[in-house]
Amino acid sequence: MQLDGETNLKIKKTLDETKDLRHDSISDFKGLVTCEPPNSRLYQFTGNFEAHPPLVPNIRQLPLSPAAILLRGCSLRNTHRIFGLVIYAGHDTKIFMNATQPPSKRSRIERSVDRIIFFMFGLLFSMCLTGCIYFAWWTANYMPQHWYLAPNEAPREYDSAQPGIVAVTNFITAFILYGYLIPIALYVSMEMVKIVQSLCFIGLDRSMYHAETDTPAVARTSNLNEELGMVNTILSDKTGTLTRNVMEYFKCSIAGEAYGAGITEIERNNAERRGLKLDVPDEEADNKYREQYFNFYDDRLMGLEWAKQPHPDVICQFFRLLALCNTAIPDGPPIPEQMHYEAESPDEAALVVAAKVFGFFMIKRTNTIITLRERLPESTRDVEYEVLNILEFNSTRKRMSVIVRTPEDKILLYCKGADTVIYERLDRKHKVNEELKEVTLQHMEEFGSAGLRTLCLAYTELDPRFYDEWNEQFIEAKLSLVDRQARVDAVGEQVEKNLQLLGCTAIEDKLQEGVPQCIKTLAHAGIRLWVLTGDKMETAINIGYACSLITDDMTQFQLTGSSAEVEQLEAESRMEEATQLSAQRLESQLIKVQHTIAEDQQAKVATSYALIIDGKALLYALSPRLRQLFLEVGVKCAAVLCCRVSPLQKAQVTALVKTWGDTTLAIGDGANDVGMIQKAHIGVGISGQEGMQAAMASDFTIAQFRFLTPLLLVHGRLSYKRITRMISFLFYKNLFYGSTIFVYNAFTLFSGQPIYNDFYMTLFNVIFTAAAPLVIGWFDRDLDKGCGLRFPFLYKEGQQNLYFSLPAIVGWLGTALLHAALVVAMVLTGADSIDSDRKTGRIWSSPQDGVIMFTVVIITVHLQLSMIIDQWMWMHHVAIWGSIGESGCLA
């Protein structure tokens, strides 16, 4: 199913009661489906199937889970055919319900253009109003005195006895005449320029093309090209964005013993930063077991050596958990080298592959049976485990559990999840747990310091009577048509307890190529970077060092919501008091950080700051009471690292930073980043291992994080400069041209007499001044492409909005008015002669004045444009001199 953009397979299974139906028995199939109304939730479905005889002996209610639902647009694999019942059709299907347009985004430049357009309309109306009032007054009071105007025979629009009609008709005439103040071609020109920038310049840039995946950069909208040159803050996901999201099983801790040799990429980078040398073995030679998703080596566990360790029974359960607690689908023959697993995430695939290498090889999976080929000291055998229940992982539970029945008729619950979640559910009366908790936690901190992603593993044996009672409640919850998921989660809490800790896994997710250099360059460009990750604080800090987000010369502030007092209150179930104490501690920490930064600024200490905040503290920092204080502190830091962040909090942090007035850019690669991407001014999606959902919700799509530097520092900077100059010129030329018409009309008592020929007035925007602005918007550049990357401080021009600020706009409009006054004065003064110097004997008249003035206007606007061109190309010469020559020929 790829409706959500994900590329991995998802398990779809029928009900056990209907799985044996065939062609000859489908005609006797009877039942009733009761379900929720049509909705857009892809991952949720609430419904029941009422089975009737002869399918079942008696009428029976069966829950329908999302796994039993095939959505329109799905592709089936690993099955030849199915029998199905249509539940939603047409516009009620989830693919139609999800077919909504992403939020409309407009750049700051476009919004400024709208305000200038309103100003120009106001100027136009004031000119028209001034002219019509004056002309109506003059007509009523002075026109009867001018006998040569034949006032007694004047039409209604010039009737001195009806000044109201004169004012209205003159207003309409003036509105048409002065309408050239409004650059009608502005939006058309902007769209033409932006489309070329998006399709040709961004889409065809080889420096943003990823050859390994054959993925170019894609501009999914052309509205935000210039906004790329004005970014102040980048909010980034970590996994799959800064890292490759190519998971490898690297280390583990089992029964209090750490296993795994090797040095992570994060450790190497941090050692290089400190000037230390590490003895790095030749991994390819030392690790003969290495394969995709698996980069673990330790003699104590490989082969059957694990059976000689102090706790072989715990190690066996650990490996068995890796093989059973998942939803992966085996795809291929039951040969280790040829087997491929379709898993919901790279993490899950790494764990299943690790189980295979350790000797617990999942060779087959059905709806209810998982077959493992277990290599034990006594023999290698195929063992079938009956899957009784699966309690799925979600961002709220932060864990996954599977309940299986073993061949020995034991009922076991295997659970894996975040350490905080698993530790809360451990059996406190179990002596082994108390011995393992501290040492396992210490190992997880060590793994986290090496940049590894950790996961806690635990299990428990369930009493059959307790399980039967619990399963009845579980089925009842699954049959509920109201708040089914909440009830299922609540029932799940009852069985996921009294767990026995087995250990933890540590998976490496390496940094993407070029990430440290990219972050350094962005920092030199004055861009703040906020990283929002679900990792623990120790892991996040070390990755921050490795990717140059945090440096040694930065002053670090670590904010945490935990303390000994808070933990004591939580242990005593005094949650409200614990919450208040955590919020108070965080507020005091934020105030202290704010004072420290203020003191450094007063002392003019040149330093940069890094703020690291954990998930519990972030929960309080986003509260109405503290959010403004948190924002004020965060924007003064060069780097902010938020740990243990949920998808909702990512969007909340992004919305908070937007309120500061900065231009924000959010970048991510997974479905959990969509909210953040859509909230930011600019959303950039990375088409990576987690599918295309983030890319489909984004404004720009790239394949690697490092491509942000050319996207922003080259294309963003040039697009901003080109578009702002083009817009400023369009306003300049139209105000210049319209002002000459207004000034001349003032000499004619605002009678509506045009100075220019209708032919010239019609073609002014369409022909004579159309090409040059487009050439500026497409090809003008002040420096070569590489200079923007070598000198990132040039990017600050866009951040400060130097080329489209209020002074810049006023300068262009003021220049237009000045040029209009000079041109009208010089032309009318120079053409004031009443002597005839031509063979016809006719003197110089207003049509000839208009031709001269129009030619001067065309020459002036193009010379003004030529003064701001940074780099001349043959297109500039053709556009500018060609337009001037064209007007001269037609004149």
Side-chain angles (χ1 to χ4, degrees):
M1 183 179 74
Q2 295 189 26
L3 298 181
D4 54 1
E6 304 299 312
T7 57
N8 52 282
L9 295 181
K10 297 173 178 62
I11 295 177
K12 295 296 179 181
K13 59 181 180 180
T14 183
L15 298 173
D16 292 339
E17 289 75 9
T18 62
K19 66 181 180 181
D20 295 323
L21 289 174
R22 297 293 183 268
H23 281 285
D24 54 351
S25 57
I26 192 68
S27 59
D28 298 328
F29 175 64
K30 294 181 181 179
L32 176 66
V33 173
T34 306
C35 65
E36 61 188 355
N39 58 70
S40 61
R41 297 188 294 271
L42 289 176
Y43 301 109
Q44 298 179 17
F45 177 80
T46 303
N48 294 328
F49 172 61
E50 184 181 282
H52 291 196
L55 185 65
V56 291
N58 299 307
I59 295 178
R60 182 178 165 193
Q61 292 285 343
L62 302 172
L64 293 175
S65 69
I69 303 299
L70 283 176
L71 304 183
R72 177 178 176 179
C74 291
S75 299
L76 282 175
R77 287 184 58 184
N78 301 325
T79 187
H80 296 291
R81 67 179 68 87
I82 62 166
F83 297 107
L85 173 67
V86 176
I87 296 179
Y88 305 129
H91 288 274
D92 290 339
T93 57
K94 292 185 183 288
I95 191 171
F96 268 95
M97 302 287 280
N98 277 275
T100 57
Q101 293 294 327
S104 177
K105 297 181 181 180
R106 303 185 70 218
S107 68
R108 288 169 56 187
I109 300 300
E110 284 191 354
R111 293 193 293 269
S112 297
V113 167
D114 292 343
R115 291 191 288 269
I116 299 174
I117 290 289
F118 282 123
F119 168 76
M120 298 298 284
F121 266 109
L123 182 62
L124 173 62
F125 275 100
S126 63
M127 287 181 173
C128 295
L129 196 62
T130 301
C132 74
I133 292 174
Y134 181 85
F135 185 70
W137 172 80
W138 186 89
T139 301
N141 292 279
Y142 291 99
M143 186 173 177
Q145 303 174 16
H146 295 75
W147 56 269
Y148 56 87
L149 296 176
N152 296 328
E153 301 176 4
R156 293 183 61 190
E157 58 267 23
Y158 298 110
D159 189 353
S160 59
Q162 303 183 60
I165 294 178
V166 172
V168 171
T169 56
N170 184 267
F171 183 91
I172 297 173
T173 301
F175 188 84
I176 296 173
L177 195 61
Y178 307 152
Y180 294 93
L181 286 171
I182 310 300
I184 303 299
L186 172 62
Y187 288 104
V188 176
S189 301
M190 286 175 60
E191 284 304 314
M192 291 177 65
V193 168
K194 289 183 176 184
I195 288 173
V196 172
Q197 289 176 347
S198 301
L199 297 181
C200 299
F201 299 157
I202 295 178
L204 300 180
D205 188 351
R206 292 187 178 182
S207 65
M208 294 192 294
Y209 172 73
H210 193 235
E212 293 180 14
T213 58
D214 189 26
T215 306
V218 177
R220 299 174 59 85
T221 177
S222 61
N223 290 344
L224 304 173
N225 294 353
E226 66 276 20
E227 196 90 331
L228 290 171
M230 307 174 71
V231 174
N232 303 99
T233 305
I234 294 176
L235 299 104
S236 174
D237 177 40
K238 182 190 74 70
T239 303
T241 304
L242 300 178
T243 61
R244 301 177 186 175
N245 202 18
V246 178
M247 307 299 178
E248 291 184 333
Y249 190 95
F250 202 78
K251 291 183 180 182
C252 64
S253 172
I254 308 174
E257 187 71 28
Y259 297 94
I263 299 172
T264 66
E265 185 180 52
I266 305 299
E267 289 176 305
R268 296 178 194 175
N269 292 340
N270 289 338
E272 290 178 5
R273 175 176 53 85
R274 297 172 183 172
L276 302 177
K277 291 185 178 181
L278 297 177
D279 184 15
V280 181
D282 186 354
E283 294 183 0
E284 296 296 333
D286 292 349
N287 191 356
K288 60 182 179 181
Y289 296 97
R290 183 168 186 176
E291 61 175 274
Q292 185 182 14
Y293 297 115
F294 190 79
N295 188 21
F296 175 93
Y297 184 76
D298 194 317
D299 286 330
R300 295 173 294 171
L301 292 184
M302 307 314 296
L304 290 174
E305 294 298 317
W306 59 267
K308 302 176 183 178
Q309 295 302 304
H311 303 282
D313 54 335
V314 177
I315 297 175
C316 182
Q317 290 290 7
F318 184 94
F319 293 158
R320 199 168 278 147
L321 189 152
L322 296 180
L324 294 173
C325 191
N326 59 75
T327 57
I329 303 172
D331 185 12
I335 302 172
E337 294 77 15
Q338 300 180 21
M339 178 62 76
H340 173 72
Y341 294 103
E342 292 287 351
E344 291 190 0
S345 68
D347 303 67
E348 188 170 82
L351 297 179
V352 179
V353 170
K356 178 190 73 172
V357 178
F358 288 133
F360 290 75
F361 178 21
M362 181 168 65
I363 59 175
K364 184 180 178 181
R365 184 181 198 124
T366 65
N367 289 350
T368 57
I369 300 295
I370 295 178
T371 305
L372 299 185
R373 181 165 294 168
E374 297 183 350
R375 187 170 70 248
L376 302 174
E378 56 272 12
S379 65
T380 298
R381 58 176 184 167
D382 291 350
V383 184
E384 291 187 350
Y385 293 88
E386 182 184 358
V387 180
L388 302 177
N389 306 96
I390 295 179
L391 305 178
E392 297 182 353
F393 176 90
N394 59 46
S395 58
T396 303
R397 285 168 41 82
K398 295 183 179 179
R399 64 189 183 277
M400 174 191 176
S401 297
V402 60
I403 302 176
V404 300
R405 189 188 304 274
T406 69
E408 295 81 17
D409 206 30
K410 293 182 179 180
I411 299 177
L412 299 180
L413 180 143
Y414 292 109
C415 183
K416 64 181 182 183
D419 54 348
T420 54
V421 174
I422 298 298
Y423 272 42
E424 291 173 356
R425 289 160 177 78
L426 293 178
D427 186 356
R428 297 185 179 181
K429 299 178 182 179
H430 199 288
K431 181 180 178 181
V432 177
N433 280 340
E434 297 304 315
E435 295 174 356
L436 294 183
K437 281 175 63 176
E438 291 300 325
V439 65
T440 304
L441 186 61
Q442 181 181 350
H443 289 159
M444 283 192 290
E445 291 177 355
E446 293 173 0
F447 296 155
S449 299
L452 299 174
R453 298 162 58 90
T454 58
L455 204 63
C456 256
L457 276 60
Y459 87 110
T460 187
E461 182 176 350
L462 302 178
D463 179 73
R465 289 185 179 180
F466 168 77
Y467 170 75
D468 291 338
E469 295 174 0
W470 174 86
N471 194 40
E472 291 180 3
Q473 299 179 32
F474 185 68
I475 293 174
E476 183 181 348
K478 291 178 68 176
L479 288 171
S480 174
L481 294 176
V482 180
D483 296 331
R484 172 179 292 185
Q485 190 59 48
R487 295 187 62 180
V488 169
D489 290 346
V491 174
E493 290 281 353
Q494 300 176 15
V495 73
E496 294 173 320
K497 60 183 181 180
N498 298 328
L499 301 178
Q500 179 180 337
L501 183 63
L502 294 174
C504 70
T505 61
I507 294 176
E508 182 181 22
D509 185 12
K510 295 183 179 180
L511 288 175
Q512 288 184 15
E513 179 185 351
V515 167
Q517 295 79 9
C518 174
I519 291 178
K520 284 181 182 178
T521 303
L522 294 175
H524 291 156
I527 299 176
R528 294 186 294 270
L529 187 62
W530 291 45
V531 174
L532 314 177
T533 177
D535 289 334
K536 294 185 298 182
M537 181 176 286
E538 296 81 7
T539 306
I541 290 174
N542 281 280
I543 291 177
Y545 272 114
C547 67
S548 299
L549 175 68
I550 304 174
T551 59
D552 289 328
D553 57 354
M554 283 184 175
T555 302
Q556 288 186 37
F557 303 110
Q558 295 187 16
L559 308 180
T560 177
S562 299
S563 67
E565 296 86 352
V566 172
E567 292 175 358
Q568 180 65 30
L569 291 173
E570 290 177 345
E572 297 172 1
S573 299
R574 298 159 63 183
M575 305 306 296
E576 186 174 347
E577 296 179 36
T579 299
Q580 293 178 355
L581 180 59
S582 294
Q584 292 172 1
R585 288 189 73 256
L586 178 63
E587 184 176 16
S588 62
Q589 291 178 65
L590 286 171
I591 293 174
K592 183 178 179 180
V593 172
Q594 190 179 44
H595 288 167
T596 301
I597 296 175
E599 290 172 0
D600 288 347
Q601 291 177 343
Q602 290 179 357
K604 296 182 179 181
V605 176
T607 183
S608 54
Y609 307 96
L611 182 69
I612 301 103
I613 181 170
D614 68 6
K616 182 177 286 188
L618 184 63
L619 180 66
Y620 304 122
L622 294 175
S623 64
R625 175 184 169 187
L626 297 179
R627 58 186 300 157
Q628 190 60 33
L629 178 60
F630 171 59
L631 178 61
E632 291 175 0
V633 172
V635 295
K636 294 177 182 177
C637 298
V640 178
L641 200 53
C642 301
C643 312
R644 296 295 194 189
V645 181
S646 68
L648 177 60
Q649 287 178 323
K650 289 183 179 181
Q652 291 174 339
V653 171
T654 304
L656 178 63
V657 177
K658 280 181 66 177
T659 61
W660 188 256
D662 283 355
T663 301
T664 57
L665 182 148
I667 179 170
D669 74 314
N672 59 341
D673 303 318
V674 169
M676 172 178 72
I677 286 172
Q678 292 184 338
K679 277 286 184 183
H681 292 102
I682 306 170
V684 177
I686 290 184
S687 50
Q689 299 292 324
E690 291 192 25
M692 295 293 293
Q693 191 167 15
M696 291 190 297
S698 65
D699 306 303
F700 299 89
T701 302
I702 56 179
Q704 297 279 288
F705 184 85
R706 69 178 186 272
F707 295 155
L708 267 186
T709 47
L711 183 65
L712 298 183
L713 304 189
V714 177
H715 296 286
R717 177 178 168 275
L718 289 177
S719 295
Y720 164 77
K721 199 166 186 178
R722 289 166 174 169
I723 289 177
T724 52
R725 284 189 170 184
M726 182 192 73
I727 294 172
S728 300
F729 173 73
L730 288 170
F731 278 116
Y732 158 80
K733 74 179 181 66
N734 279 71
L735 181 59
F736 177 17
Y737 184 60
S739 297
T740 60
I741 299 174
F742 176 78
V743 173
Y744 178 81
N745 206 36
F747 281 100
T748 64
L749 303 177
F750 298 105
S751 60
Q753 176 66 33
I755 181 64
Y756 302 122
N757 183 282
D758 291 343
F759 176 76
Y760 297 149
M761 296 177 71
T762 303
L763 298 183
F764 176 77
N765 285 316
V766 179
I767 299 295
F768 296 128
T769 60
L774 294 178
V775 172
I776 292 293
W778 287 333
F779 303 113
D780 192 36
R781 62 180 182 182
D782 53 350
L783 297 168
D784 290 336
K785 179 179 177 180
C787 292
L789 300 175
R790 291 197 303 271
F791 307 104
F793 59 85
L794 295 171
Y795 187 78
K796 295 182 180 180
E797 295 176 343
Q799 292 174 328
Q800 299 168 6
N801 198 15
L802 291 181
Y803 296 105
F804 211 65
S805 60
L806 182 60
I809 295 170
V810 171
W812 277 96
L813 299 183
T815 302
L817 295 175
L818 176 62
H819 287 178
L822 292 174
V823 168
V824 172
M826 293 173 66
V827 170
L828 295 185
T829 302
D832 195 33
S833 174
I834 59 173
D835 296 330
S836 175
D837 59 351
R838 291 178 292 173
K839 295 180 179 179
T840 60
R842 296 178 182 176
I843 63 173
W844 200 268
S845 60
S846 62
Q848 285 76 33
D849 289 345
V851 172
I852 292 178
M853 190 179 297
F854 186 82
T855 304
V856 173
V857 168
I858 295 296
I859 294 174
T860 303
V861 297
H862 283 94
L863 290 180
Q864 173 67 20
L865 182 62
S866 67
M867 293 174 63
I868 65 169
I869 293 176
D870 289 315
Q871 189 176 43
W872 283 82
M873 303 173 65
W874 65 268
M875 288 84 77
H876 295 85
H877 289 285
V878 171
I880 292 178
W881 310 125
S883 298
I884 293 176
E886 189 177 33
S887 66
C889 293
L890 293 176

